């Protein structure tokens, strides 16, 4: 039993260490492979020693080696100073004066293809007294289980601003890895964007499957959520943070903000399997209960409408056609 336990502990920890070195050892490909080879050879030598009966000595030796690896791991700090992809090159920040919010670096790109676009970063003002709606947008890019979560705030003058919690991808890291998200591979970013930018790039350019749901939320909580996004974005500018596939992603961070505002929200596996987030929000009464969820899903599928609207000046209104308005309050 002692040998079996030692084998499981060393093998699991060795695997974690190998992945950590693969994703974060940045001295070059050859030194990285050498570091992983040496680490695995060291771990194998410890296992062989434990199988030969020297369990205590071998485990103490492994603990010392793993401690050295953890010391290197703890020295890896997030940064805002890297060569970022254009769509996350700027960080949104905001200030509040009375009921007026000013957001700087609101993204409003003109997308023609994945690699052909006109960059625009704008400063926009919003009046919280005119805030009227919160919509949840799910963009499915890897089957029914995984979706990207966006939250759109609508105002009575027809303006919308969308917040999106995203990885801040570096130019040399073009491919997203969910496993890498456990190993400090990406920094975290909060993007504020025009709907015509952030929805259209997903539905029209990348070919993702997008759904829009109107969220039932009191006006005071809408305001609090928008300000929570702004505060979180301001903190990221001051104190960068690593993205984490479970604890710091596009869904769990939104859950943490909403839970802080509302309180008492239950935990659920659907917060991790973000494609099932509409089921979770519907179950807690956050979506229109007059309709079954399947009808809300069907009427909220906006991909085709977004492709038809494309560069329309009334893009936001066009994609909402056919989605039932929420019942009047009271």
């Amino acid at each position: 039993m002692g040998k079996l336990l030692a084998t499981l502990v060393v093998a699991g920890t060795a695997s974690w260490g190998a992945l950590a070195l693969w994703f974060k050892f940045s001295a070059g490909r050859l030194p990285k492979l050498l570091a992983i080879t040496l680490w695995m050879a060291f771990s194998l030598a410890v296992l062989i020693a434990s199988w030969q009966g020297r369990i205590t000595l071998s485990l103490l030796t492994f603990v010392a080696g793993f401690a050295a690896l953890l010391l290197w791991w703890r020295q890896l700090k997030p940064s805002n100073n890297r060569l970022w992809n254009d769509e996350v090159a700027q960080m949104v920040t905001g200030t509040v004066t009375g009921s007026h919010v000013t957001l700087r670096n609101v993204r409003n790109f003109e997308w023609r293809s994945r690699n052909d676009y006109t960059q625009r970063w704008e400063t926009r003002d919003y009046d919280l007294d005119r805030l009227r709606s919160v919509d949840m947008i799910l963009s499915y890019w890897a089957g029914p289980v995984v979706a990207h979560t966006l939250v759109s705030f609508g105002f009575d003058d027809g303006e919308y601003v969308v917040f999106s919690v995203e990885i801040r991808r570096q130019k040399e890291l073009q491919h997203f890895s969910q496993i890498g998200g456990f190993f400090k591979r990406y920094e975290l970013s909060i993007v504020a964007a025009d709907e015509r930018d952030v929805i259209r790039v997903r539905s029209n350019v990348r070919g993702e499957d997008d759904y829009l749901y109107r969220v039932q939320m009191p006006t005071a909580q809408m305001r609090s959520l928008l300000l929570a996004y702004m505060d979180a974005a301001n903190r990221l500018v001051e104190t960068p943070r690593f993205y984490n596939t479970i604890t710091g992603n596009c869904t769990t961070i939104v859950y943490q903000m909403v839970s802080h505002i509302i309180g008492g929200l239950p935990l659920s596996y659907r917060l991790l399997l973000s494609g099932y987030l509409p089921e979770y929000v519907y179950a807690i009464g956050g979506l229109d209960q007059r309709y079954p969820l399947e009808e809300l899903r069907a009427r909220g599928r906006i991909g085709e409408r977004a492709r038809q609207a494309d560069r329309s000046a009334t893009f936001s209104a066009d994609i909402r056609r056919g989605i039932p308005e929420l019942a009047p309050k009271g």
Side-chain angles (χ1 to χ4, degrees):
M1 288 298 295
K3 291 179 181 179
L4 177 61
L5 181 60
T7 299
L8 292 175
V9 170
V10 172
T13 309
S15 299
W16 181 92
L19 287 170
L21 289 167
W22 174 258
F23 285 111
K24 291 303 294 182
F25 195 74
S26 57
R29 187 173 183 84
L30 186 59
K32 175 189 293 188
L33 292 175
L34 178 60
I36 293 173
T37 300
L38 290 175
W39 168 253
M40 295 307 292
F42 166 72
S43 302
L44 181 60
V46 168
L47 283 176
I48 292 173
S50 67
W51 294 336
Q52 293 175 345
R54 292 170 288 178
I55 297 178
T56 302
L57 178 61
S58 61
L59 286 182
L60 288 175
T61 303
F62 186 76
V63 167
F66 186 61
L69 185 69
L70 284 181
L71 183 62
W72 161 77
W73 181 254
R74 289 179 62 85
Q75 302 304 310
L76 302 174
K77 303 298 182 183
S79 172
N80 284 330
N81 300 314
R82 306 193 195 280
L83 189 60
W84 307 110
N85 269 8
D86 292 335
E87 66 266 27
V88 289
Q90 304 296 329
M91 297 278 281
V92 63
T93 60
T95 54
V96 182
T97 304
S99 65
H100 292 271
V101 173
T102 299
L103 296 180
R104 289 169 289 277
N105 293 325
V106 176
R107 201 181 75 193
N108 187 21
F109 280 25
E110 182 67 35
W111 294 93
R112 291 174 289 275
S113 71
R114 289 174 180 264
N115 301 311
D116 182 16
Y117 46 82
T118 301
Q119 299 185 49
R120 290 194 296 260
W121 299 95
E122 301 172 350
T123 296
R124 295 189 175 186
D125 295 311
Y126 303 95
D127 186 349
L128 293 175
D129 290 336
R130 306 185 71 171
L131 180 60
R132 294 293 180 268
S133 67
V134 170
D135 296 327
M136 177 180 69
I137 301 155
L138 276 295
S139 188
Y140 292 80
W141 54 274
V145 174
V146 180
H148 183 73
T149 305
L150 305 100
V151 175
S152 179
F153 295 87
F155 299 82
D156 64 7
D157 59 357
E159 287 293 314
Y160 290 87
V161 60
V162 183
F163 286 91
S164 175
V165 178
E166 302 189 5
I167 63 169
R168 202 172 189 197
R169 198 191 305 269
Q170 299 177 54
K171 284 187 177 293
E172 68 268 23
L173 300 178
Q174 294 301 314
H175 300 289
F176 174 67
S177 166
Q178 290 185 336
I179 296 176
F182 290 102
F183 292 94
K184 299 183 178 182
R185 186 169 177 82
Y186 313 105
E187 272 81 4
L188 192 67
S189 172
I190 294 180
V191 174
D194 187 280
E195 277 196 342
R196 218 173 135 265
D197 169 338
V198 75
I199 294 176
R200 190 174 156 275
V201 69
R202 293 180 176 277
S203 60
N204 298 22
V205 175
R206 300 176 187 169
E208 298 177 11
D209 194 12
D210 290 4
Y211 296 78
L212 188 147
Y213 301 88
R214 300 186 191 272
V215 178
Q216 297 190 123
M217 181 178 285
T219 302
Q221 292 178 358
M222 293 182 194
R223 294 167 63 119
S224 296
L225 182 57
L226 191 154
L227 293 175
Y229 266 110
M230 186 194 72
D231 290 341
N234 287 341
R235 287 196 301 272
L236 279 179
V237 172
E238 297 297 326
T239 307
R241 175 182 171 184
F242 282 118
Y243 171 91
N244 185 279
T245 300
I246 290 182
T247 62
N249 62 40
C250 65
T251 302
T252 56
I253 287 180
V254 177
Y255 167 80
Q256 292 161 12
M257 289 191 289
V258 176
S259 184
H260 180 73
I261 294 168
I262 298 176
L265 293 180
L267 291 171
S268 170
Y269 72 92
R270 289 170 291 194
L271 296 168
L272 301 179
L273 303 179
S274 52
Y276 301 128
L277 187 62
E279 284 85 345
Y280 174 84
V281 180
Y282 189 86
I284 64 174
L287 302 181
D288 197 335
Q289 303 294 304
R290 297 173 301 170
Y291 304 89
L293 178 59
E294 284 308 311
E295 183 174 349
L296 292 178
R297 194 193 316 274
R299 296 173 72 166
R301 192 176 190 182
I302 61 173
E304 184 57 36
R305 276 170 268 173
R307 285 184 281 275
Q308 290 178 0
D310 199 39
R311 292 178 171 83
S312 167
T314 57
F315 181 86
S316 293
D318 294 342
I319 63 175
R320 286 173 171 80
R321 290 200 179 105
I323 301 178
E325 296 282 350
L326 293 173
K329 296 176 183 177

